[in-house]
Amino acid sequence: MSIDKSQAAPADAPVDAPAVAADAAPAVDPRLLVREQGFAGYLDEFKRKMRAGDLGAIPVVIGLIAICAIFQSLDSAFLGAENLNNIFVAMVATGMMSVGIIFVLLLGEIDLSVGSVSGVSSAIMAVMSITHGVNEWLAVVTALAAGAVIGALHGFFFARIGAPAFAVTLAGLLFWNGFMLQILGSNGTINIDGDGVVGKLTTYYFSDVAAAYLLAVVAVAGYFLSAFLGNRRREAAGIPSRPLSDIVLRTVLLAVAAFAVAFMFNQYKGLPLAVLLFAIVLVGSDFVLRRTAYGRKVFALGGSVEASRRAGINVTAVRVSVFAVAGLFASVGGLFWASKIAAANQSAGSGDLLMNVIAAAVIGGTSLFGGRGRTWNALLGVLVITSIQYGLALQGIATPIQYMITGGVLLATVVIDSITRKTQKSAGRA
């Protein structure tokens, strides 16, 4: 059969796109419709995530419930108001440092120096305020600034010079530990004022019962308004949004948890200042990571450095800033540790602190491979670790056993994270 070349289209003529039926609906990712489908949609989404290995915080929550149930069965004092209050206050120092580590882990990197940085920051504060009589507020600000500068210095060697973060921060661990010992002097311990700014970080409680309940009200109302207004913006933009019933249910669950914790605090001494500050840090850092351009750049770098560079992201600046953030939060944690022991001494930042900081982030759900995690993971992870420590202490279990159990929990978490990544790759979601 011959072809009429006079009717053939020129070689450079544009090719028409296939015709689309006028009434055909545009293709939509089924995951975007979950919110519009209500609870049935969320049930389907939950099943899909389970099949894809996206477990989220479920293993951590189940583990925390199991830990509480086991230790409560062994000793009824475990879930008592005093013990729970002590757990919440004790977890803040490690939790603060873990928030900074999460920023680094999101890049797929590691910072081994945070323990030493926390120690040197507390030493700087103590030497300035106690030894030299400098105003304590100025000493605190200087200590925090020192932590941020130290972190930025580590980031410079990593991002600009190209040295591996592991090696740089390992060198930092040794150097800053030595620097701390040097500035503390031959005595090795400087006691701080228990009634001072740092001293009250872990010892001050809002004794008025209204304080704890007010914080619960603010948390619940803030969540509801954020979710409700976010829905309004989604509806205005014509994209799927959660049904009001879903928001109400989530708010009710949050209210039950928040007021239960507030009631527990009021059964002992009241709302601890340390917990209030930790809550503010968690909300603020979560906002930065999830709601700002900077946070999106951090996640992008964790996904692919080369793609981020091609997208115009200043990779070096973001990397340096992330390590500065880790240094800053290490300093904050160091001040809380100094408050807890009422001193800055040679053991600050040593022992199992570094392990617990990293373990808290990983156990809470932050991936060691980068690109996945939230600062709220620090809260979940540090709750697990501190609960185990206090539960074992109530049973009189020796410290070596505590180390082994915590290490086992960390190993199990890393294994779960690795299996999850493999499952997601198989499901085409990695």
Side-chain angles (χ1 to χ4, degrees), residues 16-102:
D16 294 334
V20 179
D23 57 346
V28 179
D29 187 338
R31 290 175 292 181
L32 298 178
L33 301 177
V34 168
R35 296 182 174 184
E36 287 187 341
Q37 295 172 355
F39 297 116
Y42 279 106
L43 181 60
D44 292 339
E45 175 73 354
F46 175 77
K47 294 178 180 178
R48 183 188 63 78
K49 286 184 175 181
M50 292 300 100
R51 289 193 297 268
D54 188 0
L55 303 178
I58 293 177
V60 188
V61 174
I62 293 175
L64 189 57
I65 293 174
I67 290 169
C68 292
I70 292 172
F71 285 124
Q72 178 65 14
S73 66
L74 296 175
D75 191 328
S76 59
F78 181 79
L79 292 181
E82 180 178 357
N83 190 62
L84 288 178
N85 202 298
N86 291 336
I87 288 175
F88 273 91
V89 173
M91 75 178 187
V92 172
T94 304
M96 289 287 193
M97 298 172 66
S98 186
V99 169
I101 278 290
I102 286 174

Side-chain angles (χ1 to χ4, degrees), residues 39-186:
F39 297 116
Y42 279 106
L43 181 60
D44 292 339
E45 175 73 354
F46 175 77
K47 294 178 180 178
R48 183 188 63 78
K49 286 184 175 181
M50 292 300 100
R51 289 193 297 268
D54 188 0
L55 303 178
I58 293 177
V60 188
V61 174
I62 293 175
L64 189 57
I65 293 174
I67 290 169
C68 292
I70 292 172
F71 285 124
Q72 178 65 14
S73 66
L74 296 175
D75 191 328
S76 59
F78 181 79
L79 292 181
E82 180 178 357
N83 190 62
L84 288 178
N85 202 298
N86 291 336
I87 288 175
F88 273 91
V89 173
M91 75 178 187
V92 172
T94 304
M96 289 287 193
M97 298 172 66
S98 186
V99 169
I101 278 290
I102 286 174
F103 277 77
V104 177
L105 291 179
L106 287 174
L107 296 183
E109 301 297 339
I110 194 68
D111 188 344
L112 301 178
S113 69
V114 290
S116 295
V117 174
S118 71
V120 79
S121 298
S122 64
I124 289 173
M125 179 278 303
V127 169
M128 289 183 65
S129 63
I130 304 301
T131 306
H132 297 290
V134 177
N135 178 273
E136 189 174 8
W137 278 107
L138 178 58
V140 168
V141 171
T142 303
L144 296 178
V149 171
I150 290 172
L153 182 63
H154 295 161
F156 171 80
F157 283 107
F158 163 61
R160 177 64 68 180
I161 306 301
F166 178 89
V168 170
T169 56
L170 179 60
L173 181 154
L174 299 172
F175 180 87
W176 299 115
N177 186 63
F179 185 72
M180 176 191 68
L181 299 178
Q182 180 67 29
I183 63 176
L184 283 176
S186 58

Side-chain angles (χ1 to χ4, degrees), residues 108-389:
E109 301 297 339
I110 194 68
D111 188 344
L112 301 178
S113 69
V114 290
S116 295
V117 174
S118 71
V120 79
S121 298
S122 64
I124 289 173
M125 179 278 303
V127 169
M128 289 183 65
S129 63
I130 304 301
T131 306
H132 297 290
V134 177
N135 178 273
E136 189 174 8
W137 278 107
L138 178 58
V140 168
V141 171
T142 303
L144 296 178
V149 171
I150 290 172
L153 182 63
H154 295 161
F156 171 80
F157 283 107
F158 163 61
R160 177 64 68 180
I161 306 301
F166 178 89
V168 170
T169 56
L170 179 60
L173 181 154
L174 299 172
F175 180 87
W176 299 115
N177 186 63
F179 185 72
M180 176 191 68
L181 299 178
Q182 180 67 29
I183 63 176
L184 283 176
S186 58
N187 185 33
T189 299
I190 301 177
N191 295 324
I192 65 173
D193 182 8
D195 293 325
V197 175
V198 175
K200 289 185 176 180
L201 286 176
T202 56
T203 60
Y204 184 82
Y205 293 81
F206 297 93
S207 56
D208 191 335
V209 296
Y213 291 125
L214 179 60
L215 178 61
V217 170
V218 170
V220 173
Y223 173 80
F224 177 79
L225 289 176
S226 175
F228 180 76
L229 295 178
N231 256 23
R232 294 287 296 272
R233 289 193 296 269
R234 285 177 170 275
E235 291 173 356
I239 57 179
S241 59
R242 291 175 181 163
L244 181 60
S245 58
D246 177 37
I247 296 178
V248 171
L249 177 60
R250 288 169 179 259
T251 304
V252 169
L253 293 176
L254 175 62
V256 170
F259 280 96
V261 173
F263 176 78
M264 179 271 297
F265 285 144
N266 286 331
Q267 298 307 300
Y268 185 53
K269 294 182 179 180
L271 174 66
L273 174 62
V275 173
L276 174 62
L277 295 176
F278 190 35
I280 293 173
V281 165
L282 288 174
V283 172
S285 57
D286 183 68
F287 177 84
V288 169
L289 278 179
R290 298 200 305 123
R291 302 293 185 181
T292 67
Y294 174 76
R296 289 191 288 271
K297 291 176 182 178
V298 173
F299 277 104
L301 279 179
S304 172
V305 175
E306 186 57 33
S308 300
R309 184 178 287 110
R310 291 173 181 268
I313 295 176
N314 189 332
V315 174
T316 300
V318 174
R319 281 175 162 175
V320 172
S321 68
V322 163
F323 277 87
V325 168
L328 173 62
F329 279 108
S331 296
V332 174
L335 296 182
F336 274 91
W337 275 115
S339 174
K340 189 172 184 294
I341 64 176
N345 60 28
Q346 294 179 340
S347 64
S350 60
D352 62 343
L353 178 59
L354 175 61
M355 179 193 72
N356 287 340
V357 169
I358 298 176
V362 177
I363 290 172
T366 302
S367 176
L368 282 170
F369 303 96
R372 190 179 81 240
R374 295 181 59 180
T375 52
W376 288 99
N377 296 149
L379 172 61
L380 290 173
V382 78
L383 266 177
V384 169
I385 291 176
T386 311
S387 297
I388 292 175
Q389 291 174 339

